[in-house]
């Protein structure tokens, strides 16, 4: 695990690549990395178009899976693992990522990322599916992302921090930490986000997601369609005081703002990281 982290390049502050903002992303002059939804990549043809141009510029592109269903009771589908491996090879990616979640049960597709019960049985299922996926990926590291959840299962045996630690200890996986999810989960459980952050295995963080959300009907929703709120930027600073992830990535999945607004959000993340790094250096 430590060697996998040490091999990651310095990625800086990046953005989730989406076709709708391809032109904006292409015009970012100092971009060092972006992330692309793995299921949207066609691996049976050579890389072309905007993503190929980014790779020619030396921009690192990380495939981010959303359909493996690592937390499901069934084994992950070999063809989905194979596709993720092909994405990594096509993009020459230093790592890939997926979610600690399930999206299907039997023949039923949820259409959403659903939280797994925080139980010992779920740790076993996740570890088995992680091992199957790693076998298919070869030497490419796999980072796991905990999701934002609007509910908890009634028979949970762990709290969020202990469950995540148990999963990472069993698998040896890297961590993709979404600070917006940390904020959402803490808010919706009436907890302190910083206290939750301090209980997470921050020494395993490969890179970080940052996203916007909104309050609705008494809950904070991780929408990816709203501006990044100040409390999430404060968590970016707090994390940068405590850890040195390889990269920080802005996620936006709809209601795309004008280019100057997107660039402003990237600048705000850069400033929040710098503030945390300075604070860590003063200690």
């Amino acid at each position: 695990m430590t060697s996998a982290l040490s091999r990651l390049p310095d990625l800086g502050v990046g953005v989730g690549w989406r076709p709708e903002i391809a032109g904006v992303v292409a015009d970012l002059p100092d971009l060092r990395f972006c992330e692309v939804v793995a299921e949207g990549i066609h691996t049976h043809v050579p890389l072309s178009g905007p993503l190929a141009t980014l790779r020619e510029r030396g921009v690192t592109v990380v495939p981010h899976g959303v359909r493996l269903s690592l937390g499901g009771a069934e084994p992950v589908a070999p063809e989905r693992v194979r596709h993720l491996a092909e994405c990594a090879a096509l993009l020459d990616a230093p790592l890939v990522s997926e979610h600690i979640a399930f999206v299907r049960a039997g023949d039923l597709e949820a259409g959403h990322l659903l939280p797994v019960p925080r139980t010992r049985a779920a740790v076993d299922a996740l570890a088995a599916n992680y091992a199957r996926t790693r076998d298919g990926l070869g030497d490419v590291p796999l980072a796991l992302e905990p999701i934002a959840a609007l509910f908890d299962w009634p028979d949970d045996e762990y709290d969020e921090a202990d469950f995540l630690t148990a999963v990472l200890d069993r698998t040896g996986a890297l961590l993709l930490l979404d600070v917006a999810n940390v904020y959402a989960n803490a808010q919706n459980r009436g907890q302190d986000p910083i206290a939750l952050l301090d209980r997470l295995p921050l020494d395993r963080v490969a890179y970080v997601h940052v996203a916007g959300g909104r309050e609705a009907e008494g809950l904070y929703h991780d929408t990816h369609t709203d501006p990044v709120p100040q409390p999430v930027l404060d968590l970016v600073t707090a994390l940068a005081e405590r850890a040195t992830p390889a990269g920080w990535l802005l996620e936006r999945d709809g209601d795309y703002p004008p280019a100057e607004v997107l660039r402003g959000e990237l600048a705000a993340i850069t400033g929040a990281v710098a503030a945390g790094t300075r604070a860590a250096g003063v200690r």
Side-chain angles (χ1 to χ4, degrees):
M1 184 274 301
T2 302
S3 62
L5 278 177
S6 66
R7 291 197 301 269
L8 295 179
D10 182 6
L11 299 171
V13 175
V15 64
W17 186 92
R18 303 293 184 266
E20 296 88 345
I21 56 172
V24 177
V25 175
D27 288 340
L28 295 172
D30 300 318
L31 183 68
R32 279 185 274 166
F33 97 113
C34 64
E35 183 187 75
V36 62
V37 175
E39 287 78 3
I41 298 293
H42 299 291
T43 59
H44 58 282
V45 294
L47 192 66
S48 62
L51 285 175
T53 302
L54 288 173
R55 287 296 301 124
E56 289 165 4
R57 281 174 46 189
V59 175
T60 298
V61 181
V62 176
H64 183 56
V66 297
R67 306 293 297 164
L68 267 187
S69 201
L70 286 170
E74 302 91 353
V76 287
E79 64 273 14
R80 294 184 184 276
V81 174
R82 186 164 53 251
H83 178 79
L84 188 58
E86 291 169 351
C87 287
L90 185 67
L91 296 165
D92 193 23
L95 79 165
V96 299
S97 56
E98 244 289 359
H99 300 85
I100 299 176
F102 71 100
V103 300
R104 71 183 62 83
D107 295 330
L108 296 177
E109 292 279 342
H112 299 280
L113 296 166
L114 295 174
V116 300
R118 296 194 298 269
T119 62
R120 293 172 180 83
V123 174
D124 292 341
L126 275 160
N129 274 333
Y130 175 87
R132 294 180 182 107
T133 305
R134 285 290 300 116
D135 286 346
L137 289 172
D139 294 332
V140 180
L142 170 61
L144 300 181
E145 179 186 4
I147 67 170
L150 293 174
F151 67 92
D152 293 319
W153 295 98
D155 297 324
D156 285 345
E157 298 168 354
Y158 301 90
D159 66 15
E160 180 175 2
D162 287 342
F163 179 71
L164 179 57
T165 299
V167 169
L168 296 186
D169 284 348
R170 273 285 296 278
T171 60
L174 303 180
L175 175 60
L176 164 51
L177 186 61
D178 188 321
V179 291
N181 291 350
V182 173
Y183 178 74
N185 290 340
Q187 280 287 104
N188 292 337
R189 295 186 186 118
Q191 299 171 349
D192 177 6
I194 295 291
L196 175 56
L197 184 73
D198 279 335
R199 293 190 55 225
L200 299 179
L202 301 182
D203 60 321
R204 314 285 273 270
V205 178
Y207 70 107
V208 179
H209 277 174
V210 186
R214 70 172 66 178
E215 297 271 355
E217 299 179 352
L219 291 171
Y220 183 84
H221 295 261
D222 177 48
T223 63
H224 292 197
T225 59
D226 291 280
V228 178
Q230 187 59 47
V232 172
L233 289 173
D234 292 342
L235 274 180
V236 169
T237 297
L239 178 54
E241 289 182 48
R242 293 159 169 80
T244 53
W248 309 75
L249 185 124
L250 172 65
E251 284 191 295
R252 191 86 183 206
D253 290 312
D255 289 346
Y256 298 103
E260 61 270 19
V261 174
L262 201 65
R263 288 194 292 267
E265 288 208 301
L266 289 168
I269 295 169
T270 300
V273 172
T277 302
R278 285 196 302 271
V282 170
R283 290 179 178 178

